[in-house]
Amino acid sequence: MKIARYSYQGAIAFGIVDEHELVVLASDPMFAGFDTTGDRVALADVKLLAPVIPRSKIVAVQQSGAEPVFVLKPNTAVVGPGDAIVLPAASERVEVDGQLAIIIGKIAKNVSVADATGRVFGYTVATVVTATDLAERDTTRAGAFDTFLPFGPVIETDFDDAATPLRGLINDEEFQAVELGDDDSTPTEETVAALVAYASSVFTLLPGDVILAGPMDTAAAVEDGDTVSMSIAGIGTLVNPVVRPA
């Protein structure tokens, strides 16, 4: 099932994607379930928003050894489909990388691997943006600027354990092409469960929290005027322009 968060006629709402329409939900399904209002709205008539705004934390995973390394990101970095990635004046080199965003749906603390996927609400596409020239002296600041974490276009509630293509393009040039679940460097249902379980042993995961997981060493630099497109088969394509304010 695909869930969209969107703006329509001045209001923010949630809906289930049904081909070219949205079945309007009564409220946020993460907290209120999937009751519908009976209304439908055309996808073409709405503005898709970031499908989740984390209420507590975003956990970026860096697999650099036997144990994952976590970097926390602020929820103010989140933007949605079509929103601009704004290049900060403090950086001269900004890179983007496509990742799978794992969205927590239930409170998780010290959960087992076997129980971990039951705490996941769904998955979406993330474009992880990093000011790489700042990263060596300040890892947190390098990835924490406003607009440095586009999410979207929708939440997929089911994980396809088969090899799933993840593709990244800058303008029309492909820079990232991997199969999720195809090797040890990319997320599978098993590694998603292990990440959620391990993270829950460090801090309590709350509904709406996000864990970012994906391949390493596949990032590419962006410049003013570029367009970044990230896609994961079965979820969709996330497109964002890149701008540097005058």
Side-chain angles (χ1 to χ4, degrees), residues 7 30 32 40 78 80 97 101 110 112 116 120 130 148 155-156 158 177 179 184:
S7 174
M30 191 181 300
R40 286 175 173 260
V78 174
D97 192 25
N110 292 325
S112 67
V120 174
T130 306
F148 266 31
I155 295 172
E156 171 57 63
D158 298 316
E179 302 288 329
D184 292 339

Side-chain angles (χ1 to χ4, degrees), residues 11-34:
I12 294 175
F14 296 82
I16 300 170
V17 179
D18 183 14
E19 295 186 348
H20 301 297
E21 292 184 320
L22 291 168
V23 178
V24 180
L25 291 168
S27 189
D28 185 340
M30 191 181 300
F31 300 94
F34 295 96

